Amino acid sequence: VAPNGQGTLAQRNNNPGNIRIGEDWQGEKNPDTDASFEQFSTPQYGIRAIAKIMITYSTKGINTIKEIISTWAPSNENDTQSYIDSVCASTGYDENFCLDMKNPIVLEKLVKAIILHENGQQPYSDAIINQGVSLALE
């Protein structure tokens, strides 16, 4: 975890998924000092938010890495195919494999892959990621 003022913007915001401002989130830092991206009180709450979004996608039938990343990181802002390839390489899942977001192991793999792609590194321990995903599954 980055000390204050260090690390990526995502790390400083405790928002490892670079979630844009929009919804009210559990664990949201108040007041926000970033005009574009959510800020969370701990990395676990930022990780929880990623996992919650993935769970919401699955309830809408968005269940494959290709569908998930195309929704999460649209091509008007990202190299979406590169992102899909990165997540597939990290998780070991094919881009068209249907993921079960109620399975904590699957959800953790996906969240870890998103964090790695968004940050260019994995700054969080398995314990922190597990805590964030567990909060989402409560």
Side-chain angles (χ1 to χ4, degrees), residues 25-92:
W25 290 101
Q26 187 178 19
E28 194 172 344
K29 190 174 165 193
N30 201 350
D32 272 344
T33 56
D34 188 310
S36 298
F37 295 97
E38 293 286 359
Q39 293 179 308
F40 295 94
S41 57
T42 68
Q44 289 89 335
Y45 281 114
I47 292 163
R48 175 194 176 275
I50 299 168
K52 278 291 194 187
I53 291 169
M54 297 303 118
I55 292 165
T56 299
Y57 285 176
S58 74
T59 65
K60 297 177 179 180
I62 301 168
N63 295 308
T64 67
I65 291 174
K66 184 173 188 163
E67 294 166 337
I68 290 164
I69 299 305
S70 295
T71 305
W72 174 264
S75 58
N76 63 322
E77 294 181 8
N78 300 274
D79 180 349
T80 304
Q81 190 58 52
S82 172
Y83 201 145
I84 291 166
D85 294 343
S86 167
V87 171
C88 288
S90 293
T91 62

Side-chain angles (χ1 to χ4, degrees), residues 59-132:
T59 65
K60 297 177 179 180
I62 301 168
N63 295 308
T64 67
I65 291 174
K66 184 173 188 163
E67 294 166 337
I68 290 164
I69 299 305
S70 295
T71 305
W72 174 264
S75 58
N76 63 322
E77 294 181 8
N78 300 274
D79 180 349
T80 304
Q81 190 58 52
S82 172
Y83 201 145
I84 291 166
D85 294 343
S86 167
V87 171
C88 288
S90 293
T91 62
Y93 298 130
D94 181 82
E95 69 179 37
N96 294 309
F97 179 74
C98 190
L99 303 177
D100 175 6
M101 293 303 159
K102 291 182 180 140
N103 181 328
I105 295 167
V106 172
L107 191 53
E108 280 185 32
K109 280 179 137 181
L110 181 60
V111 167
K112 276 178 149 176
I114 288 169
I115 293 170
L116 177 63
H117 189 84
E118 290 285 341
N119 293 269
Q121 61 178 328
Q122 184 49 265
Y124 304 105
S125 68
D126 287 347
I128 288 173
I129 291 170
N130 179 271
Q131 289 164 3

